[in-house]
Amino acid sequence: MRVLLVHPSPLLFSEIYLRLEPLGVERVGAALAAAGHEVRLLDLQVWRHGDYRRALRTWRPEVIGFSLNYLANVPEVVDLAREAKDVLPDCRVLVGGHSASFVAAELLAHADGAIDCVVRGEGEAVAPRVLQAFAGGPPLASLPGVTTSDGGGAPPLLVPDLAAHPPARRLACRRRRYFIGELDPCASIEFTRGCPWDCAFCSAWTFYGRSYRMLSPEAAVEDLARIREPNVFIVDDVAFIRPEHGLAIADAVERRGIRKRYYLETRADVLLRNREVFARWTRLGLRYMFLGIEAIDEEGLRLHRKRVHVDQNMRALEIARDLGLVVAINIIADPDWDERRFAAVREWALSVPEIVHMTINTPYPGTETWLTESRRFTTRDYRLFDVQHAVLPTRLPLDRFYGEFVRTQDILNRKHLGWRALYDVFGITVRLLARGQTNFVRMLWKFGSVYTVERLLADHERPVRYPMRLPGGAGGTARPGRDALYVHHPTAVATPA
């Protein structure tokens, strides 16, 4: 079958800071190609809706598969699915991805027949079987993780072997458009999958059922060796939890003589325990680290259930400095903050040398706070669930809350990019353009136009075509059980093909 895989457009946050290779879609594409299908990938982060419409008319795919990792992309994916059915009434449409796994029934209801099924959980193993069902094979509802308008079938199964379908990177054209910060261009790679922690604001652990799986060092380095870009983002939710695994991959990288620059994400307590692993990777090219801090006081850490303390976070930052790493951290702004709280966070952020970003506390489907948050949601617009908009009542009037948020973002941006963006924007722009780093130049110049109070407020006034279904248990305080949270259960593993 002719299969068009589609990744939706970038969100507000990623317009500036990053644009990542669609690794999950590439893995599904590899599985479908191995099953004998003709596969194309259209990443709307780097292509346009006009290119999508052109592909419908000229290539006429028989199956269209949408990746839906971010909740804010729900309306776009539904609209694109409807458009596909208008142009190609006989084509089959499926949707998968992280957020799709938590809102499968809502997607089908919004699409009103334009989406044939939603694949919950990991897609590599089941996607070829879905296409078999489309061709007259087993009923869709009999496949693990597949939800149709008639309801869900068996629970989704974890992929038994992460190395079975390495990313089909050849599918992603315009690869120079992928970047993170000044790592431009930048590919992505996955060494592990899942997270054993249970932070209240996160849905990674609920998606994977707190499971944690590792790619073999041999398979990891084989995939790394196939990457042509000089920069690599390690997409693991928490890098190098198991020190022996990180060291084994490092050994393989050294044997192959691979030289890249790396960016990764990890936790403070993991960095404290496994300093020698991160030190080893700095010698291999590790330059940037995102460290999950989230809060600057014990109360905030307790509310987020980070299971670390302030002193651990500070010691981890000291270690990263000693290793010579450029560290980015995130602070979660709560809608309950007032001017004094924003001011305190700005004061702290200006006192440390690290790059500090700020997002807004946003309960997502799949997070514990989605089910236990006692405050009522102020919107049912999926597009506002992007950690840059307030979706819960704010203590301050909304315009004043956004004023403090934008002011804080502006101060932090000028602090961290001041050496490039303030006193020598023009000079650095010329140098970056000469080096071909057009994405980072775009990042520098977009700060002033993207984050404005007027734009954020205007987003709340947009008409809502697809209102979000609120959780039935909203307003409760008891911690929900696993069955209410998990997409995957750690014991439910697919049988290898």
Side-chain angles (χ1 to χ4, degrees):
M1 290 184 175
R2 294 186 304 279
V3 184
L4 179 65
L5 300 178
V6 182
H7 187 287
S9 304
L11 304 183
L12 174 62
F13 187 81
S14 58
E15 283 185 35
I16 299 177
Y17 298 107
L18 52 85
R19 185 184 300 128
L20 299 180
E21 174 184 3
L23 206 59
V25 187
E26 292 172 349
R27 285 187 176 276
V28 171
L32 293 175
H37 300 285
E38 185 180 357
V39 182
R40 293 185 183 181
L41 169 60
L42 189 66
D43 184 358
L44 296 177
Q45 296 181 108
V46 298
W47 297 86
R48 296 292 177 263
H49 282 195
D51 300 302
Y52 171 74
R53 298 183 183 106
R54 191 174 303 110
L56 295 182
R57 294 194 309 270
T58 60
W59 195 53
R60 303 185 67 82
E62 298 165 275
V63 177
I64 302 173
F66 291 98
S67 171
L68 183 53
N69 285 327
Y70 299 112
L71 195 69
N73 287 126
V74 164
E76 177 188 16
V77 167
V78 172
D79 283 341
L80 292 176
R82 287 173 174 269
E83 188 170 353
K85 289 287 190 175
D86 288 341
V87 176
L88 302 170
D90 294 329
C91 78
R92 308 302 294 271
V93 176
L94 68 149
V95 180
H98 187 96
S99 283
S101 298
F102 293 107
V103 297
E106 293 93 307
L107 279 170
L108 292 164
H110 292 318
D112 193 23
I115 295 174
D116 293 282
C117 69
V118 176
V119 178
R120 300 178 67 241
E122 297 179 335
E124 302 102 309
V126 73
R129 299 179 63 187
V130 171
L131 267 63
Q132 288 177 353
F134 286 160
L140 283 170
S142 70
L143 301 179
V146 174
T147 300
T148 69
S149 57
D150 296 327
L157 300 176
L158 291 167
V159 173
D161 181 9
L162 296 182
H165 301 292
R169 292 191 170 86
R170 60 178 176 77
L171 295 176
C173 303
R174 299 184 174 179
R175 293 189 58 85
R176 287 191 60 85
R177 303 286 184 90
Y178 299 122
F179 71 100
I180 180 168
E182 67 96 13
L183 292 188
D184 179 3
C186 187
S188 296
I189 196 168
E190 179 183 54
F191 291 158
T192 65
R193 190 177 289 185
C195 180
W197 282 271
D198 60 348
C199 297
F201 61 87
C202 183
S203 60
W205 64 277
T206 63
F207 183 88
Y208 294 111
R210 292 188 77 174
S211 64
Y212 180 75
R213 291 164 295 155
M214 298 175 289
L215 196 65
S216 72
E218 296 75 20
V221 78
E222 281 299 324
D223 192 25
L224 185 61
R226 286 189 287 266
I227 292 176
R228 297 182 178 181
E229 288 83 356
N231 307 301
V232 177
F233 176 47
I234 301 171
V235 303
D236 303 18
D237 291 304
V238 183
F240 304 144
I241 295 175
R242 302 280 181 84
E244 68 278 5
H245 185 245
L247 292 172
I249 298 176
D251 290 340
V253 169
E254 283 190 341
R255 287 195 298 270
R256 297 287 291 268
I258 298 172
R259 295 298 301 175
K260 305 284 187 184
R261 292 195 303 168
Y262 300 97
Y263 193 127
L264 57 75
E265 303 182 20
T266 195
R267 288 172 53 99
D269 47 357
V270 173
L271 178 56
L272 289 173
R273 285 198 307 269
N274 301 332
R275 173 174 178 158
E276 73 281 2
V277 181
F278 294 93
R280 176 81 176 279
W281 274 85
T282 60
R283 296 193 291 273
L284 293 176
L286 176 61
R287 294 292 178 266
Y288 298 87
M289 172 186 290
F290 181 87
L291 203 56
I293 298 293
E294 323 305 352
I296 63 174
D297 58 15
E298 293 291 342
E299 177 63 14
L301 294 171
R302 184 190 66 80
L303 289 174
H304 296 317
R305 205 167 55 240
K306 283 293 294 184
R307 303 190 189 279
V308 296
H309 298 287
V310 171
D311 66 316
Q312 291 176 288
N313 285 336
M314 295 304 102
R315 295 204 320 269
L317 291 177
E318 290 174 1
I319 288 175
R321 294 167 196 159
D322 290 343
L323 294 176
L325 295 172
V326 177
V327 179
I329 62 180
N330 185 66
I331 300 298
I332 300 176
D334 194 87
D336 196 47
W337 282 10
D338 58 13
E339 290 97 337
R340 287 183 298 177
R341 185 59 178 164
F342 275 106
V345 170
R346 286 195 294 267
E347 182 180 358
W348 178 86
L350 292 173
S351 72
V352 297
E354 283 73 30
I355 299 169
V356 182
H357 297 300
M358 180 175 285
T359 56
I360 298 174
N361 191 8
T362 305
Y364 280 98
T367 64
E368 195 171 295
T369 51
W370 172 257
L371 296 177
T372 62
E373 176 57 56
S374 60
R375 292 172 291 183
R376 298 179 61 188
F377 287 94
T378 59
T379 180
R380 297 176 65 188
D381 188 347
Y382 291 100
R383 296 168 296 181
L384 298 182
F385 283 71
D386 63 352
V387 302
Q388 300 299 294
H389 292 85
V391 299
L392 296 170
T394 55
R395 170 176 293 196
L396 296 171
L398 188 59
D399 60 340
R400 286 170 57 191
F401 177 85
Y402 278 147
E404 290 294 320
F405 178 66
V406 169
R407 180 186 176 197
T408 302
Q409 292 275 36
D410 182 59
I411 289 172
L412 298 181
N413 291 338
R414 284 190 282 114
K415 168 200 168 186
H416 304 307
L417 292 173
W419 62 282
R420 293 186 173 187
L422 291 181
Y423 65 85
D424 197 16
V425 168
F426 179 76
I428 194 65
T429 298
V430 171
R431 290 195 293 276
L432 288 172
L433 286 172
R435 291 161 54 191
Q437 293 188 331
T438 56
N439 291 316
F440 194 62
V441 170
R442 188 179 300 111
M443 183 180 92
L444 290 177
W445 286 95
K446 269 195 172 184
F447 277 117
S449 61
V450 169
Y451 286 106
T452 66
V453 174
E454 293 75 19
R455 174 173 178 174
L456 294 173
L457 288 172
D459 289 341
H460 287 263
E461 302 302 320
R462 294 178 294 185
V464 178
R465 290 185 60 196
Y466 307 114
M468 177 187 298
R469 180 192 299 175
L470 298 182
T477 57
R479 186 176 183 184
R482 292 181 176 182
D483 288 341
L485 288 171
Y486 285 0
V487 169
H488 283 287
H489 285 259
T491 57
V493 180
T495 302

